[in-house]
Amino acid sequence: MPTDQARTAEVLDLLKVPWELEKAESGATLVITGILVDARKGTASLADEALLELIRKIYAFLTDHGRCPQLRAWRELAGHLNWSLTVFPLIRPLVNPIFAKLSLPSGKRKKDRYAPVWHNDVVKASLRDIVIHLSDPTPLDILDTGATQWTREEADVIIYTDACKHCDDGTGAGLGFYYEYQGETHLFFSRPGKEWESIIFAEAITVVAALLKVIARLPNVKRVLILCDNSPSVYGFDTGAANDSEFCPLRQLVLAAFMAVRFKTKFDFRVLHVQVWRPFKRIRRASSLHRQHPHCQRMNVGIFDKKKVRFHPRHRPNPLDPKRPFPPLADLTALRDHLRATALEKSTMAKYEGALRLWTGFAAGFEFDLLPTQHTLSLFIAWRFSTVNHVKSTLSGLAFYMRPLMDPLKPNWDQVRKSFEVQQTLRGGTKWKAHQTRKAVPFRHKDMLKWAKVGMRDGCDYETLYFVARIIILFFCCGRAGEIAMPDNKDFRSDAKTMMRHSVVTSPTSFQSNVPYMKNDPLYTGGHYLFTSDISEPVFTAVVYKYLKMRDARHGLGGALFLNSKGLETTRASLVRKIKKHLGKQYTGHSGRCGGATYYILWGIDHDEIMRLGRWKSDAWMEYIRISPAMAKAVLFRKALEKKERELRARGR
């Protein structure tokens, strides 16, 4: 503690004023309510932990609460985003839709904190854009023009704008503005050739066009003041709070202005209101630009064409029609077919298509009917057993295609599949090809400890740390290699299966991340990777935390969780090759899963807790235990003793 601060603390003690040492921080760099303030550089930014927590809350709000979160969830998110505006002021237009959902149409606040509030596309798009902007590592400069107050006299450029919905000569709307810079007057006008329903839209689009024109022509200006005589437009640009209406997409225009300014540093613009009835000759001069003054330059507003901004009102259904009209039958049929096609994974569909090709080739070779019978299906099973050890997966693929075709017939697919002849052939083939299942060799705890110490060395390079973090996470989270790496086949890859960086909640003593897709979770409900230093040595969580810090410094806070030094994801085959190279050829992609389960059972973790850590939904986790018979007997004996002790304690009570 500095000397002056210590003397102040002594005075507080004399006055019996309470104070806490933890809150009496000092230094050139401090974290104040989650905001990292660097006095040397004169910058302010969100601390890494606070930023990750905010991104995690946005992600949880979009995924964990469904389509209709409770009002309290909306309020918590809105308060968190409002706090982030301190260092991200230009995301204000993106935050506005969240606050709009918290108010009733009349402007009254909702009172029931448990009331459901529906999502909409605008809110979802805004939250996704907010995450993108939060990932920008550029801190806010305290001396930035946008973070300071300045007056009209300090403005580098003053722009005068005006617009009208339609001109007297019937040629449509008219837009105009001008500004004076270094003794020269620059005049601009536009005649879109159409009439607009809202004067607010005409005035707002003029403001945006003027701002973009000045940014392009005068890249060195710092302060731009725009004078406009339309109050709604002024309020929208001044506060960043605006909503799209039927004839006026004001929010989109405000957002366009804020995003244009975002890519320029030390730049700020203000929009002030001037009353048109006052004798303000400069505004009158801007109004005269509607008439295509001969000294004016034509300005292009094509960027605000229909691709970006909707000029015409949306279709409103007839009050006599249903509230949600039925879509065309052809569109509904196409959607149904698409949903059926995506019900199964691409890898599963590839196997099913292979099974169908085998059957059609078999039927054509023996001139059988394409629809199987008890006799032909049993012969097909016998033929498959002559070349492979398992046939049930082939029958599953064949059922996917044959069941819809044979449902109206008798016998249908299920009756043929369950017939005595087919069942006996399948049973006999299984006994004929019976063999001991080859199980994966588990990772050993001492090997994990050795590699963790390698990762914690000061000179450890990024690629080594990248490998160490992945095998440790596989071990303690009972994971599969395919869950943290891309599929080998490019056709089977999907962003929906990728573990993302923003889903991680970590510290030097714990790690947690969302797993969007797992082998035993075909519906993408997701799960979690989780482990703490309470069930492992602190070095394991520390090395994962070190990897995340180094990864964020290289690749930022966005994107996939596991990225190599080139910023790319690696495939499952690449990860397994590295495991075999550094740990031993006997290990596979499932070695981490069985190694973690074995470690936890020897540690004495409860069975239910092991199922939760490994995301098992049944007793299938017992198949992953790799211990000797003597060790298994010792574990069972210990469990029996623990059960006996619990019974004795219960009787003592």
Side-chain angles (χ1 to χ4, degrees), residues 123-164:
V123 171
K124 293 179 181 179
S126 297
L127 290 176
R128 295 190 187 100
D129 291 340
I130 287 173
V131 171
I132 295 174
H133 294 309
L134 292 179
S135 301
D136 184 3
T138 306
L140 176 66
D141 191 342
I142 298 176
L143 300 179
D144 192 289
T145 308
T148 58
Q149 294 290 336
W150 49 273
T151 62
R152 176 173 176 173
E153 290 72 19
E154 295 174 320
D156 297 329
V157 177
I158 300 178
I159 308 175
Y160 303 87
T161 68
D162 201 7
C164 64

Side-chain angles (χ1 to χ4, degrees), residues 35-147:
I35 298 176
L36 178 63
V37 180
D38 192 334
R40 294 190 181 94
K41 298 180 180 178
T43 60
S45 60
L46 294 186
D48 290 344
E49 295 296 331
L51 181 59
L52 287 175
E53 177 68 14
L54 176 57
I55 295 176
R56 186 190 66 80
K57 282 193 174 183
I58 295 175
Y59 175 78
F61 182 80
L62 290 173
T63 57
D64 297 348
H65 294 282
R67 295 179 57 195
C68 192
Q70 293 180 350
L71 178 60
R72 60 176 182 175
W74 285 86
R75 288 175 174 170
E76 290 175 2
L77 181 64
H80 213 146
L81 291 174
N82 194 43
W83 160 77
S84 69
L85 292 177
T86 306
V87 292
F88 290 98
L90 293 180
I91 68 170
R92 185 178 297 276
L94 298 173
V95 179
N96 184 58
I98 289 88
F99 284 97
K101 294 290 290 186
L102 300 180
S103 299
L104 296 171
S106 61
K108 297 180 180 179
R109 306 291 292 180
K110 297 182 176 72
K111 296 181 179 179
D112 186 6
R113 61 195 302 261
Y114 298 102
V117 181
W118 287 91
H119 277 310
N120 58 29
D121 293 338
V122 175
V123 171
K124 293 179 181 179
S126 297
L127 290 176
R128 295 190 187 100
D129 291 340
I130 287 173
V131 171
I132 295 174
H133 294 309
L134 292 179
S135 301
D136 184 3
T138 306
L140 176 66
D141 191 342
I142 298 176
L143 300 179
D144 192 289
T145 308

Side-chain angles (χ1 to χ4, degrees), residues 605-634:
I605 304 297
D606 187 70
H607 292 188
D608 294 336
E609 188 66 16
I610 296 176
M611 291 178 62
R612 188 180 70 84
L613 291 171
R615 301 160 304 284
W616 280 287
K617 299 179 181 179
S618 64
D619 291 337
W621 68 275
M622 298 291 292
E623 298 293 329
Y624 288 86
I625 304 301
R626 306 286 193 270
I627 54 179
S628 64
M631 185 65 70
K633 184 177 179 180

Side-chain angles (χ1 to χ4, degrees), residues 523-534:
L523 298 181
Y524 291 83
T525 55
H528 288 89
Y529 274 7
L530 171 66
F531 76 96
T532 65
S533 58
D534 297 334

